[in-house]
Amino acid sequence: GANSWNSDCFSAPAESFLQDFDFESNLALFNKKAVFQEIENDFPDL
Amino acid sequence: FMKKHLKNPYEINLMEELTLKGVTQYYAFVQEKQKVHCLNTLFSKLQINQSIIFCNSTQRVELLAKKITELGYSCFYIHAKMNQQHRNRVFHDFRQGLCRNLVCSDLFTRGIDIQAVNVVINFDFPKHSETYLHRIGRSGRYGHLGVAINLITYDDRFSLHKIEQELCTEIKPIPKTIDPCLYVAEAQQVD
């Protein structure tokens, strides 16, 4: 529910952010084109 | 009423259309637990004049505002459960530039046009295109430049797809460096 969602999001200590967030390697985990293709194939009426 | 009292009225719609023109839209792919880390890095990398950060619930507005303060950045927050007078005062102070960052839920039905705001961050991606447009859109009258950065989780994929389709727009992956000309006023004047 909302509580586990919130604790997931807000529980990390500030010290864990000393290094920059790695945008590039996270973007690589999401193939937008392929995911959109999948959505369109499953719901062709969209 | 109008027919009775007005003779040959001119009808003018004073509500400006909201537009995404001039706003460069990016997304960062994150997990829920990476959002604060991601935001912290954005704060350190971007040349923020003023920023507005949107969450999807009042509780998350409060939790995030607390977190941002812990990280050493100043911020105000407003959400729907605060009384109107208090909200007005915070918004007025933000508009005056007393604070650099504002965290809020969806309170504004007409979009926000504060000249000094050059960065809008969707900490939580909205579910509806109307909400997205109200958060990111600018009224045509100003049309000044800015960047919008959306933190996208895997669960947001359907909303992302729907909103891009419905608004006929494209939200691109965030590049390694964001050209200051896209959102920093001084950089535009240099050109």
Side-chain angles (χ1 to χ4, degrees), chain A residues 12 19-21 32 40, chain B residues 37 41 45 67 161 164 171:
Chain A
Q19 289 198 330
D20 281 345
F21 178 76
K32 187 182 174 196
E40 282 157 23
Chain B
H37 185 190
T41 303
K45 298 261 182 222
K67 206 75 198 178
H161 179 265
E164 279 198 357
I171 305 174

Side-chain angles (χ1 to χ4, degrees), chain A:
Chain A
N3 277 336
S4 70
W5 182 42
N6 285 336
S7 73
D8 233 17
C9 183
F10 297 107
S11 58
E15 300 83 71
S16 61
F17 305 147
L18 289 176
Q19 289 198 330
D20 281 345
F21 178 76
D22 187 346
F23 288 94
E24 280 181 312
S25 56
N26 275 284
L27 283 171
L29 302 174
F30 180 66
N31 184 338
K32 187 182 174 196
K33 210 173 155 188
V35 169
F36 277 18
Q37 197 66 59
E38 201 178 307
I39 291 172
E40 282 157 23
N41 290 342
D42 284 351
F43 307 95
D45 294 338
L46 276 182

Side-chain angles (χ1 to χ4, degrees), chain B residues 66-97:
Chain B
K66 196 172 145 224
K67 206 75 198 178
I68 289 174
T69 310
E70 276 173 35
L71 293 172
Y73 298 98
S74 72
C75 78
F76 286 161
Y77 69 91
I78 39 177
H79 57 60
K81 288 186 183 151
M82 293 160 69
N83 72 48
Q84 188 65 45
Q85 202 184 356
H86 186 185
R87 268 193 258 166
N88 288 347
R89 199 181 61 227
V90 173
F91 192 64
H92 173 265
D93 288 350
F94 179 69
R95 197 184 266 280
Q96 296 292 311

